[in-house]
Amino acid sequence: MTISNITKRFRVDSPDKFRLAECDPNDCHGLTIDKSEAKAMLAEGLEQLVELQERLYADDRWSVLIVLQAMDAAGKDSVIKHVMSGLNPQGVEVHSFKQPSVEELNHNFLWRAAQRLPERGRIGIFNRSYYEEVLVVRVHPELLDRQRLPNSLAGKDIWQQRFEDICGFERHLARNGTRIMKFFLHVSKEEQRKRFLDRIDEPAKRWKFSMGDVAERKLWDKYEHAYEDLIRQTSRPEAPWFVVPADHKWFTRMVVAGALVQELQALGLDFPKIEGKAFKELQEAAKALKEEKP
């Protein structure tokens, strides 16, 4: 079995039927393998990714946007570290979206994401994203006040309007050569508790823990409702959501890597062909180089 064979079941292709409660964060697709086997399978996928990234860069027509969303401690940083570690850093950009700045609040909610979209030939990774606007802001609606929207535009329909805006934004990107892949790393509340305790217990990890994490944990049900709604409203063929079980980090990495391999393979990427006059010039250059004295 290869890692690309296990990804399809986690893609949300029928959003109207999607129920987060039916997704098991502990799911491993029936795999019972040890860490060495998991590492070997992941390494195989990463070798494919390295080659595909080179083709993406050389082809220079497509770009890829990866969106990572999750509850705290679900493993977003781990995915970036382990899945993207072997790629050429010149062709990958990671952007972490935290609390918006004053400048960002002075623009529409999609503005700061639009500034960081990947160029053609490159892979962009959003560690959190514009989806925070229908997650954190929805769970904490008081944050809307900081955006200083006119009162007539901040009514009860604002979340549905933002879903429509996001779908339009992603459709526009897709029509202009950006392939969008969105991953919700679905961790259980119990596994999050264990990981928070690990952060507290291990001196090297304590800096990651914040008392705000505990406060947000109390809003778990509200966040799960918000995630379910946004996935139902915004998983589209041109920008699908993958709901990835995240209680086992090795499995999470395999699913994300496998999905990326499948997506890049589907683009039909190839190295540009050098023909005609350009090929003749290459031959002349090669001849001149061979005739040079050592």
Side-chain angles (χ1 to χ4, degrees), residues 158-281:
I158 189 169
W159 311 120
Q160 185 60 40
Q161 292 170 357
R162 288 193 170 185
F163 289 143
E164 294 170 2
D165 292 340
I166 287 170
C167 287
F169 178 65
E170 292 176 341
R171 186 166 53 248
H172 166 72
L173 296 180
R175 287 174 174 173
N176 285 273
T178 297
R179 297 303 287 259
I180 306 166
M181 303 184 70
K182 303 177 296 194
F183 298 94
F184 170 49
L185 309 188
H186 184 29
V187 70
S188 67
K189 192 173 185 180
E190 173 59 17
E191 180 62 21
Q192 187 197 61
R193 185 184 71 85
K194 293 177 181 178
R195 293 181 186 180
F196 279 169
L197 286 173
D198 286 342
R199 289 181 178 182
I200 294 171
D201 292 340
E202 296 185 33
K205 293 183 178 181
R206 286 173 185 163
W207 65 273
K208 291 185 177 183
F209 186 78
S210 165
M211 291 307 297
D213 295 338
V214 177
E216 291 298 279
R217 182 174 164 82
K218 294 177 181 178
L219 301 171
W220 185 275
D221 291 344
K222 289 186 177 181
Y223 273 108
E224 289 224 317
H225 170 73
Y227 267 115
E228 179 176 277
D229 199 24
L230 78 85
I231 291 169
R232 287 170 61 88
Q233 297 289 341
T234 63
S235 194
R236 298 293 181 266
E238 68 274 8
W241 275 103
F242 292 79
V243 178
V244 185
D247 277 9
H248 301 281
K249 290 185 178 181
W250 63 268
F251 187 73
T252 305
R253 298 163 191 164
M254 287 173 57
V255 173
V256 173
L260 291 175
V261 167
Q262 283 190 326
E263 186 67 16
L264 289 171
Q265 286 176 334
L267 294 179
L269 302 168
D270 205 352
F271 297 105
K273 294 181 179 179
I274 308 299
E275 299 175 322
K277 182 180 178 181
F279 182 68
K280 185 177 180 180
E281 290 175 346

Side-chain angles (χ1 to χ4, degrees), residues 42 66-86 92 94-98 125-129 183-185 187 195-196 199 204-205 207-209 213 246 249-250 252-253 256:
L42 181 59
I66 299 167
V67 173
L68 296 175
Q69 291 286 159
M71 302 286 275
D72 292 323
K76 298 188 304 302
D77 292 341
S78 175
V79 165
I80 294 170
K81 177 181 178 180
H82 292 277
V83 176
M84 308 302 171
S85 59
V92 181
V94 180
H95 297 285
S96 296
F97 291 90
K98 300 184 183 298
I125 303 170
F126 284 2
N127 185 347
R128 302 191 187 276
S129 66
F183 298 94
F184 170 49
L185 309 188
V187 70
R195 293 181 186 180
F196 279 169
R199 289 181 178 182
K205 293 183 178 181
W207 65 273
K208 291 185 177 183
F209 186 78
D213 295 338
K249 290 185 178 181
W250 63 268
T252 305
R253 298 163 191 164
V256 173

